């Protein structure tokens, strides 16, 4: 049930210049503190703020990071509240922020959390166990068109309509094993024989809906840039194309000095690049890492550096 930090060497290498002088660093997806531990080891003068919405993650990380004494603080919150958390702690602007998106291995591997299509467990899938929306509500109460939207948009599943129809006709559905079997049966046999587990995409879609993952990311990215000091760095690891697309688009927008419509003779916008992209292409794990940790396979790391505000400096 351990969690192997993904692209750990690459992440710390990219963050190293921002860490050299110490300062505050934020791991906004603490998980089992795999990256956090490496950051604290690499930067002996740094202080770490670790955020997670899963209390189990915080408890386990507290033990892992105990040898670092008073060099860290852990906060239970949603990373979409990043700016408020840092303001409350009085530590903004910080030297850098890491977002390692998605779920951790202990969350996936614990059947009682309901994330796994391989083990029987309750239809839960909440990262924050006190949140109100569960997978059970999505699976057993959503209208067919809503289910289809979740499975199609968030799961990027081309058989979403068939799956949604089948889920409705099998209600009530009691657990993850039953759901996985229903999804599998709804997918054409020829397709089922190739590729990953046939329920993988549907489970991903429901998980993203339950945890509001894309909304949280959309709020966290601007907050992370806004909370980072010039020269500081923002690193984001994503695990599926929806997340990666959102990060890529956000980085490109934030790295532009002008957002005027094409064809205008002079720039009339007030935009100013806030970041410089350090990874022209996303960094992917090497074969050896994927062999050792298959969950790293789909990972993509994008890193940007915070720029100083030019206009304000000139004024
Ligand atoms: C992939 S794991 C991070 C693993 C970590 N980097 C490590 O090496 O142990 C993602 C973690 O982020 C947390 N998480 C995901 N979305 C979150 C959000 N919106 N707010 C706070 N924590 C979140 C999950 O609960 C999970 O523990």
């Amino acid at each position: 049930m351990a969690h192997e930090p993904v692209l750990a060497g690459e992440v710390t290498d990219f963050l190293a210049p921002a860490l050299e002088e110490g300062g505050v660093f934020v791991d906004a997806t603490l998980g089992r503190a795999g990256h956090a531990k490496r950051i604290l080891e690499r930067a002996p003068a740094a202080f770490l703020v670790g955020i997670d919405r899963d209390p189990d993650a915080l408890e386990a990380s507290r033990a892992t990071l105990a040898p670092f004494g008073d060099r860290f603080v852990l906060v239970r919150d949603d990373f979409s509240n990043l700016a408020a958390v840092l303001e409350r702690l009085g530590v903004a602007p910080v030297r850098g922020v890491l977002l390692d998106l998605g779920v951790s291995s202990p969350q996936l591997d614990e059947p009682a959390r309901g994330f796994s299509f391989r083990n029987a467990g309750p239809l839960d899938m909440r990262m924050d166990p006190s949140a109100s929306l569960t997978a059970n509500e999505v699976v057993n109460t959503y209208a067919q068109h809503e289910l289809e939207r979740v499975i199609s948009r968030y799961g990027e599943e081309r058989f979403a309509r068939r799956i949604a129809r089948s889920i409705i006709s099998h209600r009530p559905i009691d657990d993850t094993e039953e759901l996985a079997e229903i999804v599998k049966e709804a997918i054409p046999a020829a397709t089922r024989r190739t590729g990953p587990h046939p329920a993988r995409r549907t489970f991903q879609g429901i998980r993203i809906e339950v945890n509001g993952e894309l909304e949280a990311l959309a709020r966290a990215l601007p907050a992370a840039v806004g909370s980072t000091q010039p020269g500081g760095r923002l690193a984001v690891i994503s695990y599926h194309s929806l997340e990666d697309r959102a990060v890529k688009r956000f980085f490109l927008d934030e790295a532009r000095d002008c957002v005027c419509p094409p064809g205008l003779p002079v720039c009339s916008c007030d935009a100013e690049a806030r970041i410089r992209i350090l990874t022209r292409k996303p960094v992917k794990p090497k074969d050896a890492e994927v062999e050792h940790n298959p969950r790293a396979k789909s990972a993509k790391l994008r890193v940007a550096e915070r720029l100083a505000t030019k206009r304000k400096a000139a004024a």
Side-chain angles (χ1 to χ4, degrees):
M1 296 255 285
H3 180 92
E4 208 54 59
V6 171
L7 289 163
E10 289 84 346
V11 166
T12 39
D13 282 350
F14 268 111
L15 298 177
L19 288 167
E20 259 156 28
E21 294 147 31
V24 178
F25 200 86
V26 185
D27 184 343
T29 49
L30 187 67
R32 286 310 195 254
H35 289 102
K37 182 167 176 275
R38 282 160 180 78
I39 288 165
L40 286 168
E41 281 166 354
R42 177 91 175 236
F47 180 84
L48 183 116
V49 177
I51 302 173
D52 208 294
R53 56 178 159 178
D54 181 345
D56 290 353
L58 295 174
E59 197 188 319
S61 294
R62 203 173 293 286
T64 305
L65 298 179
F68 295 98
D70 58 3
R71 292 182 52 210
F72 68 94
V73 63
L74 304 188
V75 181
R76 179 177 173 186
D77 211 324
D78 192 303
F79 60 49
S80 57
N81 299 324
L82 185 72
V85 169
L86 299 182
E87 201 168 305
R88 208 166 51 230
L89 293 172
V91 295
V94 297
R95 293 293 296 163
V97 179
L98 169 65
L99 288 165
D100 176 20
L101 302 170
V103 275
S104 66
S105 299
Q107 287 168 331
L108 272 175
D109 294 342
E110 172 54 61
R113 302 294 301 264
F115 287 103
S116 172
F117 44 76
R118 297 186 196 282
N119 306 295
L123 287 166
D124 191 321
M125 299 196 198
R126 289 171 300 174
M127 292 177 187
D128 172 359
S130 66
S132 54
L133 183 63
T134 64
N136 184 54
E137 191 173 333
V138 175
V139 169
N140 284 311
T141 72
Y142 271 28
Q144 188 173 315
H145 71 275
E146 290 177 304
L147 262 180
E148 187 181 332
R149 168 187 61 83
V150 167
I151 298 168
S152 161
R153 191 181 301 169
Y154 298 155
E156 299 188 286
E157 168 61 69
R158 66 187 160 124
F159 300 111
R161 178 158 302 170
R162 296 167 68 133
I163 294 169
R165 212 181 296 134
S166 184
I167 287 176
I168 303 262
S169 71
H170 283 87
R171 280 174 176 172
I173 298 170
D174 290 330
D175 64 25
T176 50
E177 195 176 37
E178 192 184 341
L179 176 63
E181 194 53 34
I182 290 165
V183 173
K184 189 173 139 199
E185 291 303 317
I187 288 176
T191 318
R192 256 185 269 152
R193 280 192 287 274
T194 55
H197 190 289
R200 193 180 65 86
R201 289 175 178 279
T202 299
F203 271 60
Q204 172 187 300
I206 297 171
R207 193 200 86 205
I208 291 175
E209 170 77 1
V210 166
N211 294 291
E213 291 178 37
L214 295 177
E215 294 84 351
L217 179 61
R219 290 184 60 197
L221 289 171
V225 172
S227 304
T228 303
Q229 55 188 258
R233 295 190 170 193
L234 167 61
V236 188
I237 307 176
S238 59
Y239 293 87
H240 54 79
S241 52
L242 288 172
E243 281 171 351
D244 184 57
R245 238 178 277 145
V247 178
K248 179 181 171 182
R249 199 169 310 140
F250 174 79
F251 273 20
L252 287 173
D253 284 348
E254 291 285 328
R256 283 201 292 166
D257 256 330
C258 169
V259 293
C260 288
L264 277 195
V266 282
C267 168
S268 62
C269 74
D270 209 19
E272 180 178 352
R274 292 203 297 167
I275 60 169
R276 179 168 70 94
I277 298 170
L278 302 181
T279 46
R280 205 174 54 78
K281 291 226 162 89
V283 177
K284 296 182 193 167
K286 299 200 172 66
D287 291 347
E289 176 170 359
V290 176
E291 211 168 291
H292 170 71
N293 177 19
R295 283 185 183 153
K297 190 167 180 231
S298 56
K300 286 184 181 168
L301 166 68
R302 294 185 188 269
V303 187
E305 182 175 82
R306 179 74 158 103
L307 296 175
T309 315
K310 284 175 277 179
R311 284 191 196 111
K312 278 200 186 130

